[in-house]
Amino acid sequence: MASIRRTLSPAYPDRVYPNGIPFSTSSPSSKLLSNAKYSSTFSSFAIGVRRFISGAFLLRHPPRKGSNVWRRAFFRCCVFFLLGFLLGMMPFGHDGDDIRRHDFSFEIKPPHVNAQFEKDTHGLVWREDSVVDSVNLSVKPSPEVNLSLTSVPKRQLIVVTPTYNRPLQAYFLNRLGQALKLVNSPLLWIVVEMNSASMETAEILRKTGVMYRHLVCTKNMTDVKDRGVHQRNVALQHIEHHKLDGIVYFADDDNIYSLELFDSLRDIGRFGTWPVAMLAQNKNKAILEGPVCNGSQVIGWHTNEKSKRLRRFHVDMSGFAFNSTILWDPKRWRRPTSKPIRQLDTVKEGFQETTFIEQVVEDESQMEGVPTGCSKVMNWHLHLEVPNSFYPSGWVFQKNLDYVLPIK
């Protein structure tokens, strides 16, 4: 016969029964709880925590069929993961300042055991009462090294060189290219040829190692004296079209230049000029052509030829340079007209320089003498052309020259 036995421990000791008296047992645990004097607020909080723990983590009954076991297991994993993450983020035993101070220090502390050698009758003896100096690995900057990063980038130089086929063309281009190679960058070398770009010139430009642009002038001309005028105009049109920013300088390939000249060009604001030494056409005397300066102010001009006294500005084509923005930004310089600035082929020979400068500046007050006082000659025009000479095409001989060496 089946028997039913009631448990002495109620499943819900905190339940209040209809008679108004809570169920109590004589078990030791219930006596301890009944004898404890807690406030009603703490008791309710403890009961809520126990219910949460028992419901979330304790499986009091075996899982029934259809119960949501997997959801409860997933919930437990999430709770444990959150607790572990929070505990891992807490810096136990250190504060933020100590971590930064110890983790990023490059100082090696002196060791506790120090050494010193002493001499006695038997030789060297090891002692441990001296102090070894600490080693500091911090890098101290040298006073000679300037760590300031406020250096201003250098202005670009735009060197325009017209060239044409002649016996000394390769010599002149190589000499000028080697000089430009020594100039500090940035520098752009614009070389303009007539009719077509020759392979020989392109090869010379590539070998110099200077940044260049190889242009071609296709202007039909009746007078070869106007060749350089049209070639420079092609370069000016290229600068204006691409809005190249820098200092424009017309450097013919047959002139001789010093490196000091190119360094001085970067200091020009609007228009700069300087004296040029040259040989007269008859090559029996040297003349000086260019500005007379009081400091950096132009107050006059050097000239020795009577035929050129009618010119407004007495300067050689290689004796001036100007800001390229004058060509494509007339509003900045308050130019009265936006007409393109070009060299004129309708004026007499020797007047191309002055008519061009009149389009760039109004008078000497807008010029700068380079260098201060215009006391140095920094380039020379020597007229070293060889007229009526013959040379092989491309300087390449089709066959070796025959030479008979007599044997004695």
Side-chain angles (χ1 to χ4, degrees):
M1 183 175 182
S3 62
I4 299 174
R5 182 180 180 182
R6 295 181 180 272
T7 178
L8 296 179
S9 299
Y12 303 97
D14 58 332
R15 178 176 296 177
V16 179
Y17 290 90
N19 56 3
I21 301 174
F23 184 84
S24 62
T25 61
S26 60
S27 63
S29 59
S30 62
K31 291 181 180 180
L32 292 175
L33 291 174
S34 60
N35 294 331
K37 297 179 180 180
Y38 295 102
S39 63
S40 60
T41 304
F42 181 78
S43 300
S44 60
F45 175 76
I47 293 172
V49 172
R50 191 175 65 177
R51 284 183 178 180
F52 174 78
I53 295 175
S54 62
F57 302 102
L58 299 179
L59 188 60
R60 296 174 298 179
H61 303 286
R64 301 178 181 176
K65 185 177 181 181
S67 62
N68 199 352
V69 179
W70 293 106
R71 181 180 297 178
R72 180 172 297 179
F74 177 75
F75 175 73
R76 295 173 182 175
C77 292
C78 293
V79 172
F80 281 117
F81 175 79
L82 181 61
L83 292 176
F85 178 78
L86 294 177
L87 292 176
M89 294 296 295
M90 297 176 64
F92 294 102
H94 297 281
D95 55 2
D97 296 336
D98 292 339
I99 293 175
R100 287 191 295 269
R101 181 168 58 252
H102 292 290
D103 291 352
F104 299 96
S105 176
F106 292 94
E107 183 178 358
I108 299 178
K109 296 182 178 180
H112 296 288
V113 179
N114 304 299
Q116 182 181 7
F117 288 101
E118 286 186 354
K119 282 189 176 182
D120 60 356
T121 56
H122 300 285
L124 296 178
V125 179
W126 182 275
R127 291 188 59 188
E128 297 183 357
D129 55 359
S130 61
V131 178
V132 180
D133 295 335
S134 61
V135 180
N136 193 354
L137 299 181
S138 59
V139 180
K140 295 182 179 180
S142 174
E144 300 178 357
V145 179
N146 186 12
L147 298 179
S148 61
L149 301 177
T150 59
S151 59
V152 179
K154 296 182 179 179
R155 304 179 66 181
Q156 179 176 234
L157 299 182
I158 306 174
V159 181
V160 177
T161 301
T163 186
Y164 60 95
N165 295 331
R166 61 194 191 278
L168 298 180
Q169 180 188 14
Y171 165 71
F172 289 148
L173 286 177
N174 276 291
R175 183 181 64 179
L176 179 57
Q178 295 302 319
L180 295 179
K181 188 176 181 180
L182 301 176
V183 180
N184 295 326
S185 59
L187 183 143
L188 176 62
W189 189 17
I190 300 179
V191 179
V192 186
E193 280 194 289
M194 288 300 303
N195 301 325
S196 63
S198 64
M199 297 298 296
E200 293 81 6
T201 302
E203 184 178 0
I204 292 174
L205 297 180
R206 284 194 298 267
K207 290 182 178 179
T208 57
V210 180
M211 184 173 62
Y212 72 92
R213 296 187 182 182
H214 194 182
L215 307 181
V216 177
C217 177
T218 58
K219 180 75 173 180
N220 294 327
M221 297 176 299
T222 57
D223 190 355
V224 295
K225 293 182 180 180
D226 299 332
R227 176 176 50 222
V229 174
H230 295 291
Q231 289 175 299
R232 297 186 189 96
N233 286 339
V234 170
L236 293 174
Q237 183 180 3
H238 181 82
I239 296 171
E240 180 180 353
H241 176 72
H242 294 280
K243 295 184 178 181
L244 302 180
D245 190 6
I247 302 298
V248 181
Y249 177 50
F250 298 123
D252 293 342
D253 56 1
D254 58 343
N255 291 354
I256 300 175
Y257 307 92
S258 64
L259 295 179
E260 184 180 2
L261 169 64
F262 296 100
D263 293 336
S264 302
L265 295 181
R266 303 184 193 273
D267 299 330
I268 295 176
R270 175 170 183 163
F271 183 93
T273 181
W274 54 91
V276 178
M278 61 182 65
L279 289 177
Q281 293 294 335
N282 53 12
K283 299 182 181 181
N284 59 0
K285 63 178 181 179
I287 59 176
L288 187 65
E289 191 172 53
V292 177
C293 303
N294 181 15
S296 60
Q297 181 182 5
V298 178
I299 59 176
W301 301 94
H302 293 287
T303 180
N304 293 323
E305 297 185 23
K306 296 180 180 180
S307 60
K308 295 184 179 181
R309 291 181 180 178
L310 299 177
R311 294 190 301 172
R312 175 68 179 86
F313 303 110
H314 300 268
V315 62
D316 186 71
M317 188 65 71
S318 62
F320 66 91
F322 60 95
N323 197 313
S324 65
T325 57
I326 298 177
L327 301 175
W328 48 268
D329 192 2
K331 294 183 180 180
R332 174 182 175 183
W333 303 100
R334 299 179 180 179
R335 287 175 50 201
T337 177
S338 59
K339 183 179 179 180
I341 298 177
R342 300 291 186 268
Q343 293 189 5
L344 306 178
D345 59 348
T346 57
V347 297
K348 295 181 180 180
E349 183 182 2
F351 285 81
Q352 285 90 358
E353 296 89 347
T354 183
T355 55
F356 178 80
I357 296 174
E358 290 173 1
Q359 302 176 63
V360 179
V361 296
E362 296 178 0
D363 51 26
E364 286 83 355
S365 63
Q366 297 180 344
M367 298 182 179
E368 308 170 29
V370 180
T372 303
C374 302
S375 57
K376 292 183 180 180
V377 175
M378 297 182 290
N379 67 307
W380 296 263
H381 194 178
L382 303 180
H383 303 285
L384 297 178
E385 279 301 327
V386 181
N388 301 326
S389 59
F390 299 94
Y391 63 97
S393 177
W395 287 95
V396 177
F397 294 96
Q398 299 298 330
K399 61 180 181 179
N400 295 331
L401 297 177
D402 295 332
Y403 183 77
V404 179
L405 181 64
I407 300 177
K408 296 183 180 179

